[in-house]
Amino acid sequence: QVQLVESGGGLVQAGGSLRLSCATSGHTFSGYVLGWFRQASGKEREFVAAINWSGGVTYYSDSVKGRFTISRDNAKSTVYLQMNSLKPEDTAAYYCAADVGPHPINVVVVGASEYDYWGQGTQVTVSS
């Protein structure tokens, strides 16, 4: 059983930054494809960013490209989401997810239904 635990959410003013972390356990972390999703109140969960198992390939939604950075530390079994230039529309619960694969080295996963495990979420609120 894979467990994912997010942290780092909070309240920040527009233009500010936050760094989310997602610690994982229970499987061979280095083989996972990892992703971040978010869900605003009353809206569907949406893709934010994904990273392949080696960390060399990343993919972002258009709404966060250039502002957010996904990274991973396989030695610490942790994935990060650095969020800069935050906007009120970034307000949402943020979830990390793991797809245990196996996948070829350069694959990232965008579809939520393809992920096998999810964290409990961490709230990010951006005030204007």
Side-chain angles (χ1 to χ4, degrees):
Q1 183 72 18
V2 176
Q3 294 184 324
L4 298 90
V5 180
E6 301 99 334
S7 60
L11 175 64
V12 63
Q13 289 188 333
S17 298
L18 283 174
R19 188 194 196 201
L20 305 183
S21 299
C22 176
T24 73
S25 62
H27 203 270
T28 307
F29 177 83
S30 60
Y32 303 168
V33 171
L34 297 163
W36 285 96
F37 291 76
R38 66 186 182 186
Q39 187 168 16
S41 181
K43 296 187 177 180
E44 293 186 354
R45 189 168 297 189
E46 65 171 349
F47 170 79
V48 175
I51 189 166
N52 76 320
W53 62 260
S54 72
V57 179
T58 58
Y59 187 77
Y60 299 92
S61 68
D62 288 342
S63 61
V64 306
K65 194 176 300 181
R67 300 188 297 122
F68 291 12
T69 302
I70 187 171
S71 62
R72 64 191 293 164
D73 185 336
N74 286 346
K76 296 182 178 180
S77 298
T78 301
V79 60
Y80 304 97
L81 186 68
Q82 177 67 44
M83 305 185 295
N84 299 329
S85 303
L86 282 161
K87 305 175 181 180
E89 51 263 44
D90 294 317
T91 294
Y94 282 73
Y95 300 87
C96 67
D99 180 343
V100 300
H103 292 293
I105 188 170
N106 60 344
V107 167
V108 293
V109 178
V110 176
S113 62
E114 298 183 58
Y115 282 86
D116 303 298
Y117 298 97
W118 293 81
Q120 83 290 346
T122 186
Q123 179 67 34
V124 171
T125 303
V126 185
S127 63
S128 57

